[in-house]
Amino acid sequence: MPDRGGGPTGPRMRVGRPSRRVRTLLMTLGVLAVLGMAFTMFAGFWTDWLWYRSVNYSSVFTTTLWTKIGLFFVFGLLMAVAVGVNIWLAHRLRPPLSAMSMEQQNLDRYRMSIAPYKKWLLLGITSLVGLIAGASASGQWRTWLMWVNGVSFGQKDPQFKLDVSFYAFDLPWYRFLLGFGFAAAILSVIAAALTHYLYGGLRVTSPGARATAAATGHLSVLIGIFVALKAVAYWLDRYGLAVKSSDFRATDNWTGLRYVDANAYLPAKTILFCIAVICALLFFATLWRRTWQLPVIGFGLMVLSAILIGGLYPAIVQKFQVQPNEQAKEAPYVEKNLEATRKAYGIDGTKVTDYTGTSTTEDKTRLRDDVDATASIRIMDPNIVSPTFQQLQQIRNYYAFPNNLDVDRYAKDGKEQDTVIGLRELNLAGIPKKNWINNHFRYTHGFGVVAAEGTSADAQGRPNFTESDLPSEGDLGTYEQRIYYGEKTDTYSIVGGPQKEIDYSDDNGEKTTSYKGDSGVNLSNPVNRAAYAVAFGEPQILYSGAIGEGSRILYNRTPKERVEAVAPWLTIDGDAYPAVVDGRIQWIVDAYTTTNGYPYSSRTTLGDTTADSLTATNDNRAVVAQQNQVNYIRNSVKATVDAYTGEVKLFQWDTKDPVLKTWMKAFPDTVEPKSDISKSLMDHLRYPQDLFKVQRELLTRYHVKDATTFLSGSEVWQVPDDPTNRSGNAVPPYYLSMKMPDQKAQAFSLTTTFTPNGRDNLSAFMAVDAEAGTSDYGKIRILKLPTNTTVNGPKQVQSQFNSQEDIAESIRLLRGGDSEVEYGNLLTVPLDGGLLYVEPVYVRGGGLKYPLLRKVLVTYGGQTAFENTLDEALNKVFGAEGATPEPPEEGDTPPPPTSENPTVQQALEDAQKAFDAGQEALKENDWEAYGRAQEDLEDALQRAEDAQAEASRGGGGAGGGESKPSGSPSPKPSS
């Protein structure tokens, strides 16, 4: 550096200059840092490739990768060329040097400073904008693949008569191209204007002309291109009206043209298109006229037209034509929306039938036998009994069940029955000693299926297990019980090498095993080990002696993760469920194809419509796609994930879905035909809950077919809140084998209820046939209750349960001590014109911290029962046996109580004794004695309930109305 003055003129001081050794060290560190970053990027790429190859879906990885790379380079290069050429052209068109103004003298310093680096500066700017544009374009790989592989829907929109594929596949790509064009035009104008200003083509404060003729022509052409693109935008906006969403009649995301769109916005867009074309031509004409006068006038006219024609005119039409007669004006467009929405969500075949809501049979005893034929009422709630499975079947702390179990169907004695099922999955939080070897080498898998009858419980209120113990034994036969892939398996494991895995433990001690499957990635290769050590941030993978010949690393182990990875174009259902199929445990995953480009179909937000009381309170039940908005959905794919090998299979389920056909063209040979689904797998497929929840939300408004009723809003329903908890979220749908009035036999179904908007009484009951492989699969039936009478809804039924005096007293007794009462699923079953409600009641507390079935609530036709078993409750409600006499009419003299009637006091004392006996039995681990004590406790509580009811009817006497003496022990019913 030259001396800038002021210092000594002696020898130059070498202050701050690093030595050669330091420079070499710094250079070495820099090279190592670059190599480290490069290897980190390589590790991410290489491990992804290895994983996709291990699951035999490498074509998905390569297709996605090459599509992203192609879009990155094509659009990055286009943007770089557009900006670079305009900078170069502006520099080439710079005016010759002349007498400089003060402004130009100031700019000259900048011109001189960048003169030696002009080429590098141009390369840097174009590279930067190219990288940004390329990265943005690579994110549009789905849009590109859908456009280039698009399949016709065979349906045309009612306004423009274009195939739906234009809106679903073509229009999104055209809009991307248009957005890219706008970005390129704007960046080119900015870059060219700055270059012209730097080299004197544009002047701000200098005297004379503000722009040279060359600069004027150059910039006017660029602005003309921008205005021409605006003309294209106006033209595409015409078609965009068919998929435009708006709030209409309190309906969020109402989609499609309305009267003002068709009669004001549509012609306005056409007029603005013509004006924009003329304005663009005026800008291009400056190449010859060399004046801005006409283009500026034209641009001003376009802006004014956009305000008057595109904004003010539609507002006038809405105010003075639509509002005075809205129903007549909007009706034709509402009908188009109704038809399109029902088709897009697969609810156009919904059968709505009027239902009285009251029984027509006077002799209710005849209905008792009809109950069993109408429904297999499930009293084991899969959302309640998971802790019971955990306590009774966990066996070891390093196993766990999901918070929500699943409902499936399995044959027993030649008859299918609803079954509650869960897998004993690995729980790393419960292993005895946590370290890297234990976490990833020794404790690697869960073990076995646990299943129980859905319609019964044993004498102690525990599930009747049909598959249990470790190893699991029961009705499911022989199958591979090791579970390496599951919903709770969220970390990697290294298996198959020199380190043995803990298989399970029994009375003879720990059993060990070594993984025999071909899943995962082989770690024998040192490059693979290094890549995974970097990718997982775990250096021990590189040098650990526990990894050797045959070692394989398993990761991405939840069913949802695996299906999402091999089919990134699918939307995955929030609840995968297990099934034993052909000697294997298979996770079954429902997957959806969606689009938000179906014309006239109203949009819905998947995260909102699939949320309910279960997703709000349980971490393993997820909502779908969070904030994704769609207006078309199909359950087009059924996927399976093998719990042992992790093998993923995708089966085409909806053979008519054009969106799936489009993706199958983009990713050939990834989806297997529907005919490949085996009979044994078909037996376990079911209608998915999340699709049902989306459809039921749409059907709160779109169950009507005529525009007049829709516009009046008189038939709007709502999904009721779950009455069994205080989450304030929607009641979840329930799987249940039942028979709708028009069906001849029971079918596995998914059911829900509706209430009027803002009210609690019942307005409709909905069920869909969930039995895969049958002709009625997916058929939606709605029983519509009359609007001129009131039928109790779920919340009212629950309130009725809680407020009935004898039931409230029994609940209070069940809550004695530290016990807690938990209400199970409130099931609704149509029966003989009326509605049967059934709700199991569980108790947890005392020495046991898991719920056991204690009571069953049943109501029908105004009769309510709260009994120990479902049969007893049904018998009481229908008067089949032990019917309770009607309460006396007002003014009647109540009969005197009999001396044989047991007193509440005596019953409570017996309950206390039974409870104490049960606690002693628990301490001694005497389960037989504990069971007898529980039976005695139930009997005492029932006698207390009966005595209280008798006292209420008799007004006292025989001790029936006695209160418990002060200081006497309170019974503490155990669960």
Side-chain angles (χ1 to χ4, degrees), residues 345 347 573 592 609-610 633 635 687-699 719 731-735 749-754 765-770 778-782:
Y345 289 94
I347 56 177
D573 190 273
Y592 309 106
T609 54
T610 59
I633 186 170
N635 177 212
Y687 201 82
Q689 290 187 67
D690 285 331
L691 176 61
F692 184 78
K693 286 189 279 188
V694 171
Q695 291 174 327
R696 74 172 178 178
E697 180 62 32
L698 268 295
L699 282 167
V719 178
V731 61
Y734 296 123
Y735 286 107
S749 305
L750 194 52
T751 65
T752 192
T753 52
F754 295 109
F765 174 82
M766 171 181 168
V768 64
D769 193 322
K779 184 174 182 178
I780 299 174
R781 296 174 172 90
I782 293 179

Side-chain angles (χ1 to χ4, degrees), residues 90-118:
H91 178 268
R92 184 178 180 84
L93 296 175
R94 66 190 183 280
L97 294 175
S98 59
M100 292 188 183
S101 63
M102 184 60 67
E103 179 185 22
Q104 292 302 310
Q105 290 178 19
N106 292 331
L107 290 173
D108 188 53
R109 293 201 300 269
Y110 295 103
R111 289 194 290 264
M112 292 179 64
S113 64
I114 68 173
Y117 312 106
K118 284 191 294 187

Side-chain angles (χ1 to χ4, degrees), residues 53-377:
R53 192 174 64 175
S54 73
V55 293
N56 298 317
Y57 281 90
S58 55
S59 63
V60 174
F61 178 80
T62 55
T63 299
T64 304
L65 178 65
W66 286 117
T67 302
K68 289 179 178 180
I69 291 174
L71 291 172
F72 176 87
F73 279 105
V74 169
F75 285 95
L77 186 62
L78 285 175
M79 183 65 77
V81 168
V83 174
V85 166
N86 281 285
I87 293 175
W88 172 82
L89 187 59
H91 178 268
R92 184 178 180 84
L93 296 175
R94 66 190 183 280
L97 294 175
S98 59
M100 292 188 183
S101 63
M102 184 60 67
E103 179 185 22
Q104 292 302 310
Q105 290 178 19
N106 292 331
L107 290 173
D108 188 53
R109 293 201 300 269
Y110 295 103
R111 289 194 290 264
M112 292 179 64
S113 64
I114 68 173
Y117 312 106
K118 284 191 294 187
K119 292 182 179 180
W120 289 107
L121 187 61
L122 177 63
L123 181 62
I125 293 173
T126 55
S127 298
L128 179 62
V129 297
L131 286 172
I132 295 173
S136 176
S138 66
Q140 299 294 321
W141 64 271
R142 290 180 177 86
T143 307
W144 161 261
L145 288 175
M146 292 184 79
W147 178 67
V148 78
N149 295 288
V151 172
S152 171
F153 273 69
Q155 304 170 22
K156 294 185 177 180
D157 79 283
Q159 181 67 41
F160 301 102
K161 310 303 180 185
L162 295 174
D163 192 88
V164 172
S165 60
F166 171 80
Y167 301 93
F169 307 140
D170 299 342
L171 191 58
W173 178 249
Y174 297 153
R175 281 177 165 165
F176 163 71
L177 292 179
L178 187 63
F180 179 84
F182 274 126
I186 292 172
L187 289 175
S188 296
V189 168
I190 294 172
L194 289 174
T195 306
H196 279 301
Y197 176 69
L198 183 63
Y199 287 96
L202 294 178
R203 305 179 183 92
V204 178
T205 61
S206 300
R210 299 300 182 195
T212 64
T216 299
H218 184 196
L219 293 176
S220 63
V221 168
L222 290 177
I223 297 174
I225 292 173
F226 177 85
V227 176
L229 290 172
K230 187 62 180 174
V232 176
Y234 281 132
W235 189 257
L236 288 181
D237 283 347
R238 298 168 68 254
Y239 303 112
L241 293 172
V243 289
K244 184 194 73 171
S245 290
S246 60
D247 293 340
F248 177 56
R249 287 282 181 167
T251 301
D252 296 336
N253 295 316
W254 194 94
T255 304
L257 284 84
R258 291 157 50 193
Y259 181 89
V260 69
D261 297 312
N263 296 278
Y265 281 111
L266 186 57
K269 297 292 184 185
T270 305
I271 294 171
L272 289 172
F273 163 76
C274 297
I275 294 173
V277 170
I278 295 172
C279 185
L281 293 176
L282 291 176
F283 275 104
F284 294 145
T286 57
L287 286 173
W288 296 277
R289 294 180 58 84
R290 303 294 183 180
T291 175
W292 289 84
Q293 186 176 6
L294 285 178
V296 169
I297 293 173
F299 190 79
L301 176 62
M302 186 178 74
V303 173
L304 183 62
S305 300
I307 296 172
L308 296 178
I309 302 175
L312 185 60
Y313 174 61
I316 292 173
V317 171
Q318 179 69 22
K319 179 71 175 177
F320 295 102
Q321 289 192 34
V322 178
Q323 289 185 4
N325 192 19
E326 185 178 46
Q327 188 153 312
K329 296 290 187 183
E330 299 288 13
Y333 303 96
V334 171
E335 288 178 357
K336 296 173 184 177
N337 174 270
L338 287 171
E339 182 181 0
T341 302
R342 291 169 64 85
K343 282 184 179 179
Y345 289 94
I347 56 177
D348 50 327
T350 301
K351 182 180 179 181
V352 181
T353 307
D354 290 333
Y355 194 70
T356 61
T358 56
S359 175
T360 57
T361 302
E362 294 183 2
D363 183 6
K364 295 294 187 286
T365 58
R366 296 189 340 193
L367 295 180
R368 176 62 186 89
D369 293 336
D370 293 342
V371 174
D372 296 331
T374 301
S376 299
I377 298 174

Side-chain angles (χ1 to χ4, degrees), residues 933-950:
Q934 292 302 298
E935 292 175 356
D936 293 341
L937 176 61
E938 289 178 3
D939 178 68
L941 291 175
Q942 184 63 48
R943 286 190 283 113
E945 179 185 337
D946 294 342
Q948 182 68 31
E950 185 68 22

Side-chain angles (χ1 to χ4, degrees), residues 599-916:
Y600 274 99
S601 173
S602 290
R603 290 184 172 89
T604 186
T605 304
L606 291 179
D608 294 338
T609 54
T610 59
D612 58 27
S613 61
L614 296 184
T615 62
T617 57
N618 293 284
D619 54 4
N620 70 302
R621 184 68 61 89
V623 296
V624 176
Q626 295 298 334
Q627 298 306 310
N628 281 14
Q629 280 199 333
V630 304
N631 65 357
Y632 171 94
I633 186 170
R634 290 290 185 272
N635 177 212
S636 54
V637 170
K638 301 284 190 181
T640 61
V641 177
D642 192 292
Y644 183 76
T645 66
E647 180 185 22
V648 181
K649 288 187 177 181
L650 307 176
F651 296 99
Q652 182 183 16
W653 184 248
D654 190 329
T655 57
K656 298 179 180 179
D657 177 30
V659 181
L660 177 60
K661 291 179 180 178
T662 295
W663 286 119
M664 289 174 67
K665 282 182 63 179
F667 296 96
D669 302 323
T670 57
V671 181
E672 301 181 26
K674 186 175 183 178
S675 58
D676 284 359
I677 298 177
S678 66
K679 172 64 169 60
S680 53
L681 175 59
M682 185 72 75
D683 290 341
H684 295 282
L685 300 182
R686 67 189 192 189
Y687 201 82
Q689 290 187 67
D690 285 331
L691 176 61
F692 184 78
K693 286 189 279 188
V694 171
Q695 291 174 327
R696 74 172 178 178
E697 180 62 32
L698 268 295
L699 282 167
T700 58
R701 303 184 303 277
Y702 287 91
H703 62 278
V704 301
K705 296 182 179 180
D706 62 288
T708 302
T709 307
F710 184 89
L711 286 167
S712 70
S714 61
E715 290 290 329
V716 175
W717 301 336
Q718 66 182 13
V719 178
D721 292 341
D722 191 344
T724 64
N725 62 48
R726 298 178 181 178
S727 68
N729 295 91
V731 61
Y734 296 123
Y735 286 107
L736 184 68
S737 290
M738 57 165 292
K739 180 176 68 173
M740 290 288 275
D742 65 332
Q743 292 179 292
K744 296 181 178 179
Q746 291 185 22
F748 192 61
S749 305
L750 194 52
T751 65
T752 192
T753 52
F754 295 109
T755 58
N757 195 24
R759 297 169 61 194
D760 293 327
N761 57 288
L762 196 68
S763 57
F765 174 82
M766 171 181 168
V768 64
D769 193 322
E771 193 85 40
T774 62
S775 58
D776 275 356
Y777 172 82
K779 184 174 182 178
I780 299 174
R781 296 174 172 90
I782 293 179
L783 303 180
K784 184 174 177 292
L785 280 299
T787 56
N788 58 350
T789 60
T790 300
V791 178
N792 286 340
K795 185 176 181 180
Q796 293 171 322
V797 170
Q798 188 69 46
S799 298
Q800 199 176 70
F801 283 155
N802 296 338
S803 61
Q804 194 159 324
E805 186 176 345
D806 56 341
I807 295 178
E809 177 64 19
S810 297
I811 295 292
R812 187 188 69 79
L813 291 172
L814 290 173
R815 284 184 173 140
D818 59 352
S819 297
E820 296 179 4
V821 171
E822 296 184 26
Y823 294 101
N825 36 219
L826 180 57
L827 301 176
T828 308
V829 178
L831 178 68
D832 190 49
L835 291 160
L836 174 69
Y837 287 97
V838 179
E839 183 178 65
V841 178
Y842 299 83
V843 176
R844 74 160 88 195
L848 301 176
K849 297 302 181 183
Y850 58 90
L852 295 175
L853 182 66
R854 283 292 174 236
K855 294 285 185 178
V856 179
L857 282 161
V858 174
T859 184
Y860 182 82
Q863 298 294 318
T864 301
F866 185 59
E867 302 298 324
N868 294 333
T869 67
L870 175 62
D871 283 340
E872 291 175 6
L874 291 173
N875 290 339
K876 185 172 181 180
V877 163
F878 292 104
E881 60 182 49
T884 303
E886 294 292 329
E889 297 286 341
E890 185 176 353
D892 288 351
T893 302
T898 63
S899 59
E900 290 79 16
N901 183 29
T903 65
V904 174
Q905 175 65 30
Q906 182 62 49
L908 291 176
E909 291 177 358
D910 292 344
Q912 181 65 57
K913 292 177 181 178
F915 174 77
D916 293 338

